Amino acid sequence: MWGHFSRVHISPAHMSVAFLGLGAIGAPMASHLAKTVDLVVWNRTAEKAIAFAARYGVRTAPTPAAAAAGRSAIITCLPTSREVEAVLDGADGLLAGMSRGSTLIDCTSGDPASSRRIAARLAERGICFIDAPVSGGVVGAEKGTLTVMVGGEQATLDSVMQLLETFGKKIVLAGPVGCGHALKAVNNALLAVHIWSAGEGLAALARAGVSPAAALDVINASSGRSNASENLIPQRVLTRAFPRTFRLALLEKDVAIAADFLREQEVPSPVLQQIAELFRLARVELGEEVDHVEAVRLIERHARQEIHG
Ligand code: NDP
């Protein structure tokens, strides 16, 4: 039966772990592991791994293969499943270093089909796999309060639960391999809908002379509220701060995965197909580096109406 798991309270100090991908969310996740387990890190841009290792007193590895050698668990947190598949192969790849009986935990927000393919390849070598994407943003990663949604076998999750608990507060087995990624993609598609729809509504209200702050005050005491209306738009749009914590390009990737997933499941999905297209256009117009909430800038640009405090 799928559902919540009771926590295993065994010290993970004896576990040897490799972490690959010290990006915006990967680095704070790995920082918790650094305090708890025997950790080695690898990052494509080596300087980031060296700086991380110096700060947290852990070791770096020169290649994914070297990072994986002798480790019981390997965690990846890369942009997409494509990069995860790419670090598996070649003389320096993970597969060259991973041992039978070890586990690959993929915290990337990846796609279900790639995860099933990766899991099948690893199973041939006696290596376990779970997809374990996270939600809660950089702040949640820093606080160690992420939600982790897992696809895979219960026994595999149980064996690495202590590791996930170092950065996760709510850890849920969603179903077989790929289901963690499917759930994450649907969650982020909802995030995209909330940002976009709140942006459209607030632009129109601002045009009509309603102060966005007053409008949000009402919406957040009413049934239209969401994390976008309660937190993202007041803190990032009204203030014009637009901090860069989660790239729009990554959210666009998640929404595209959700749109594909809904088509595969043969669920008619005009809203989620449309939001995938809108975020694709937003990335083309705004670029690879902007934050996801900056999608609102596109609405403002086309409406010729700023949403400010
Ligand atoms: P970033 O863009 O900040 O970091 C990406 C990481 O992947 C970096 O370590 C980067 O290395 C590495 N990387 C990129 N391309 C390659 C490659 N070809 N080969 C090897 N390594 C590569 O992303 P985030 O940390 O924000 O996101 C990571 C994952 O977590 C994504 O799937 C994202 O959707 C998900 N996520 C992010 C959240 C957030 O708030 N940021 C929230 C929840 C999930 P380098 O340093 O060399 O560039």
Side-chain angles (χ1 to χ4, degrees):
M1 193 173 72
W2 310 118
H4 296 264
F5 278 77
S6 58
R7 301 299 171 90
V8 182
H9 293 289
I10 305 167
S11 164
H14 63 284
M15 293 193 77
S16 60
V17 180
F19 196 103
L20 288 81
L22 300 169
I25 199 147
M29 287 165 67
S31 72
H32 297 289
L33 288 159
K35 293 171 204 149
T36 323
V37 302
D38 171 14
L39 185 69
V40 61
V41 293
W42 176 83
N43 194 68
R44 179 183 62 173
T45 306
E47 290 73 21
K48 278 194 206 168
I50 292 164
F52 181 94
R55 179 166 176 196
Y56 294 102
V58 299
R59 285 180 300 123
T60 63
T63 63
R71 301 276 131 181
S72 51
I74 293 92
I75 302 179
T76 41
C77 190
L78 302 177
T80 74
S81 294
R82 267 192 310 282
E83 287 79 24
V84 178
E85 290 197 293
V87 297
L88 285 178
D89 291 313
D92 290 339
L94 277 179
L95 283 176
M98 287 182 80
S99 345
R100 182 169 277 278
S102 62
T103 301
L104 178 60
I105 303 167
D106 185 19
C107 292
T108 305
S109 299
D111 67 87
S114 301
S115 293
R116 288 192 291 269
R117 200 161 52 232
I118 292 169
R121 289 185 67 195
L122 294 178
E124 284 169 14
R125 295 164 181 249
I127 300 168
C128 299
F129 175 85
I130 56 172
D131 44 306
V134 300
S135 180
V138 170
V139 171
E142 285 165 355
K143 289 185 183 159
T145 57
L146 292 172
T147 297
V148 189
M149 44 214 106
V150 177
E153 297 289 327
Q154 178 169 349
T156 309
L157 173 57
D158 285 346
S159 71
V160 297
M161 182 64 96
Q162 317 151 64
L163 300 180
L164 303 185
E165 284 178 339
T166 66
F167 52 76
K169 189 170 169 203
K170 187 181 190 71
I171 300 164
V172 177
L173 186 66
V177 166
C179 288
H181 283 153
L183 178 50
K184 172 68 186 174
V186 169
N187 176 77
N188 278 21
L190 299 182
L191 165 67
V193 168
H194 294 158
I195 291 170
W196 199 281
S197 54
E200 287 182 355
L202 289 170
L205 287 166
R207 270 262 172 107
V210 181
S211 132
L216 285 172
D217 192 34
V218 170
I219 289 166
N220 289 335
S222 306
S223 46
R225 68 184 179 276
S226 64
N227 185 50
S229 69
E230 289 183 320
N231 295 306
L232 297 176
I233 294 179
Q235 292 163 16
R236 298 172 179 224
V237 179
L238 265 56
T239 58
R240 312 311 288 170
F242 290 109
R244 292 186 171 178
T245 61
F246 176 41
R247 289 188 295 125
L248 184 146
L250 291 174
L251 181 55
E252 184 231 334
K253 169 260 306 178
D254 295 332
V255 185
I257 293 169
D260 283 348
F261 171 67
L262 273 103
R263 277 198 299 270
E264 271 165 34
Q265 298 303 316
E266 299 180 1
V267 171
S269 49
V271 173
L272 294 192
Q273 301 303 326
Q274 180 69 15
I275 200 71
E277 178 59 11
L278 289 169
F279 270 79
R280 191 187 68 75
L281 293 171
R283 181 183 52 76
V284 169
E285 199 156 323
L286 299 170
E288 294 294 318
E289 295 308 322
V290 302
D291 187 70
H292 64 306
V293 180
E294 292 183 72
V296 172
R297 288 191 196 274
L298 199 62
I299 296 167
E300 292 180 328
R301 193 180 291 171
H302 291 167
R304 294 185 301 282
Q305 175 64 55
E306 210 172 81
I307 301 165
H308 52 70

